[in-house]
């Protein structure tokens, strides 16, 4: 069954980014639960027992946990030409993988993947990314969860922008424990056809960021959602569609619009 989720950022440095809730975790969980979401997706500054307690008290599941604070707060990326920085990046992400696993959720590798920097070759950068994903995926597997790798659009990385390229890359790894995160906003910029790309990636897709073409809630842009929802059903997707969108016109309205769209495109069978 496809389930609904909504994002909360607990990282002030990410202000302006595509997260629906920004306030305290308790408030975000309460609003999400009242609107009927199945789960919350958390963008934390670091592992935090208080966050875990608040989510558990809310009764919501955790859809995923972002690692991006490693970049926005600490400027750590897996493809940094400096070996010590790369090691530090893996260490930061490993702590988030452990925290996410305690919550029964996968961690997301998005902005921490970095890019091919002028000081390095593309092969070197992809090699460093592979090393990081192998290490983190093994850690996640030992804790019973997947790792999620997210292809980003060309304005955020020059590594892998399309689902197909990212899928080939994941299949080249030794670990089978990394799944693709299909972010509909990035895909709108990079894919020829979103439904076709989803069908081609099939069972490799482990998470979806449910965002319209302008990174507002689904229904507020020009994405044709119906064929995308059909493609997700056809591949047997049974994960979360999680609203990683701007709080437009405000957090509550974006959340309300998201749950309305979710119920329209993924109606409950009973
Ligand atoms: C993270 O999920 C994402 O989509 C990125 O655009 C954040 O930089
Ligand atoms: Mn995303």
């Amino acid at each position: 069954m496809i389930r609904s989720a909504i994002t909360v950022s607990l990282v002030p440095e990410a202000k302006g980014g595509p997260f629906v809730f920004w306030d305290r975790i308790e408030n975000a969980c309460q609003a999400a639960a009242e609107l009927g979401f199945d789960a919350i997706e958390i963008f934390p500054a670091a592992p935090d027992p208080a966050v875990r307690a608040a989510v558990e008290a809310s009764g919501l599941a955790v859809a995923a946990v972002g690692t991006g604070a490693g970049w926005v707060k600490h400027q750590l990326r897996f493809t940094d030409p400096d070996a010590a920085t790369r090691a530090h990046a893996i260490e930061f992400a490993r702590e988030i993988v452990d925290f996410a696993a305690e919550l029964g959720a996968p961690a997301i590798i998005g902005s921490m993947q970095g890019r091919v920097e002028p000081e390095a070759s593309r092969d070197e950068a992809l090699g460093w990314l592979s090393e990081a994903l192998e290490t983190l995926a093994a850690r996640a597997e030992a804790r019973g969860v997947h790792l999620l790798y997210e292809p980003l659009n060309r304005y955020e990385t020059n590594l892998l922008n399309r689902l197909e390229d990212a899928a080939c890359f994941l299949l080249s790894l030794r670990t089978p424990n990394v799944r693709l995160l299909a972010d509909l906003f990035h895909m709108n910029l990079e894919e020829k056809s979103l439904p076709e790309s989803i069908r081609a990636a099939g069972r490799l897709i482990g998470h979806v960021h449910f965002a319209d073409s302008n990174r507002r809630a689904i229904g507020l842009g020009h994405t044709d959602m119906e064929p995308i929802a059909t493609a997700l059903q056809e591949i047997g997707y049974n994960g979360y569609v999680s609203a990683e969108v701007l709080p437009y016109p405000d957090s509550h309205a974006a959340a309300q619009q998201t749950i309305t769209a979710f119920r329209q495109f993924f109606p409950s069978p009973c």
Side-chain angles (χ1 to χ4, degrees), residues 127-151:
W128 292 330
L129 179 61
S130 302
E131 279 171 33
L133 293 184
E134 297 280 8
T135 303
L136 297 168
R139 183 95 181 180
E141 189 170 17
R143 285 156 181 73
V145 289
H146 288 124
L147 186 70
L148 296 169
Y149 170 71
E150 180 174 21

Side-chain angles (χ1 to χ4, degrees), residues 135-175:
T135 303
L136 297 168
R139 183 95 181 180
E141 189 170 17
R143 285 156 181 73
V145 289
H146 288 124
L147 186 70
L148 296 169
Y149 170 71
E150 180 174 21
L152 304 175
N153 75 68
R154 66 191 68 185
Y155 305 109
E156 296 193 30
T157 188
N158 55 6
L159 284 167
L160 301 159
N161 306 120
R162 296 183 317 123
L163 240 46
E164 184 184 356
D165 297 329
C168 289
F169 173 70
L170 294 190
L171 293 173
S172 78
L173 300 178
R174 291 187 304 280
T175 174

Side-chain angles (χ1 to χ4, degrees), residues 182-193:
D183 181 320
L184 304 183
F185 168 74
H186 297 303
M187 289 178 70
N188 251 307
L189 289 163
E190 299 294 345
E191 308 287 345
K192 180 162 180 247
S193 157

Side-chain angles (χ1 to χ4, degrees), residues 18 41 108 110-111 150 152-153 156 181 183 186 209 215 244:
E41 178 177 320
I108 299 171
S111 54
E150 180 174 21
L152 304 175
N153 75 68
E156 296 193 30
L181 195 173
D183 181 320
H186 297 303
H209 277 159
R215 231 172 191 180
E244 188 190 60

